[in-house]
Amino acid sequence: MTRTAATILREYGPLPDVGAVHGITYDGRNIWVATGDQLLALNPDNGSMPQSIDTAANAGTTFDGQHLYQIASGIIQKIDPASGQVVSTIPAPDGEGNSGLAWAEGSLWVGRYADRKIHQVDPSTGTVLRTLESNRFVTGVTWVDGELWHGTWEDGESELRRLDPQSGEVLEVLEMSAGLGVSGLESDGDGLLFCGGGDSGTVRVVQRPKAS
C-alpha cells in the first residue's frame, strides 16, 4: 500500500447558502452537489451555479450518463436532470445510514457509513449483489478507469482510498490535510477527484495519481 499527501488543485466555496455538502457527482459538464434539500449544478470552469433541483438530498449522488441518482434517507431516487422530476425510486440498502453513491458496470455502488461497507446494488430493484468491507467509515464512493475509490472521515482525519475491487484490500491512500473532511467523492473520468467538504460547504479538487 502506498500512502501520500493529497494534492489539492482547487477549492470552490464556501458555496452560497450551503450548510453542508452531502454528496457529489459529475455529468461531464457540471459538478452536482447534494445540499440536503437541493441538488446544485456547479460549473467547474468558472464556479457558477447554472441549475438547481429541489429534492431530498442528504447523502450520496451519482450520474449514469442520463439520470442522476440521489440517496434520500431510506430510498434512492432516479432523477431526470432536465426536468428535475423523480422518475423512479428503489429501497436503499438497510434503510438509513447510507452515504456515498457511484455508478459503474451497470450497477450502483452504495457506501454504508458506520457499517464500513460498500454494496454493489441492482439499480432496478435495490437488491444487494455483493459487498466489500472497509476498516474506516465510508463517506463517498467513485469508480474511474477500473479503479474503486472511497472517501473516509473519522476521528478528525480524512483520506481518499483506492481499493482492490474484488477483495476490498486498500492499495493506495491519499491523506487530506488536517481539518479537511471528505463527505462525497467523484471523478471527472480522468485525472481529477472531486471531494465534498462536509459542513464547510466547499468542493475540493484533488489530483488523482497516475496509474503505475
Side-chain angles (χ1 to χ4, degrees):
M1 179 184 72
T2 60
R3 180 179 288 272
T4 58
T7 299
I8 298 174
L9 303 176
R10 186 169 180 178
E11 181 172 298
Y12 302 93
L15 303 178
D17 301 317
V18 173
V21 175
H22 299 281
I24 195 165
T25 195
Y26 182 64
D27 66 5
R29 181 179 58 183
N30 291 310
I31 303 167
W32 287 89
V33 182
T35 68
D37 56 8
Q38 279 189 324
L39 278 166
L40 298 177
L42 171 66
N43 184 320
D45 294 329
N46 57 27
S48 66
M49 289 181 286
Q51 186 181 354
S52 64
I53 297 172
D54 292 331
T55 190
N58 56 13
T61 314
T62 195
F63 181 69
D64 70 356
Q66 184 176 2
H67 293 93
L68 294 164
Y69 290 82
Q70 176 62 55
I71 296 174
S73 298
I75 63 171
I76 299 175
Q77 304 177 112
K78 183 178 182 180
I79 299 170
D80 178 355
S83 67
Q85 296 300 305
V86 176
V87 299
S88 65
T89 64
I90 57 173
D94 301 315
E96 303 284 347
N98 296 288
S99 51
L101 189 62
W103 175 269
E105 302 177 346
S107 296
L108 293 168
W109 298 76
V110 183
R112 291 284 300 169
Y113 176 69
D115 292 345
R116 305 180 183 193
K117 296 178 180 178
I118 299 171
H119 293 311
Q120 182 184 4
V121 171
D122 185 315
S124 299
T125 64
T127 301
V128 174
L129 304 176
R130 68 186 181 103
T131 300
L132 295 173
E133 303 278 348
S134 178
N135 62 0
R136 296 290 300 272
F137 291 158
V138 177
T139 60
V141 184
T142 193
W143 280 84
V144 56
D145 293 338
E147 296 179 357
L148 174 60
W149 289 80
H150 87 81
T152 183
W153 187 0
E154 188 171 352
D155 296 330
E157 298 180 350
S158 287
E159 299 173 347
L160 308 180
R161 298 176 141 209
R162 180 167 65 88
L163 307 182
D164 183 303
Q166 299 303 317
S167 68
E169 176 189 358
V170 180
L171 303 176
E172 185 171 9
V173 172
L174 304 181
E175 299 176 341
M176 298 293 281
S177 300
L180 301 185
V182 175
S183 61
L185 183 63
E186 177 63 297
S187 166
D188 73 338
D190 192 12
L192 304 179
L193 296 168
F194 301 123
C195 306
D199 55 10
S200 70
T202 61
V203 174
R204 299 183 178 97
V205 183
V206 172
Q207 181 72 56
R208 179 171 72 97
K210 294 182 179 179
S212 56

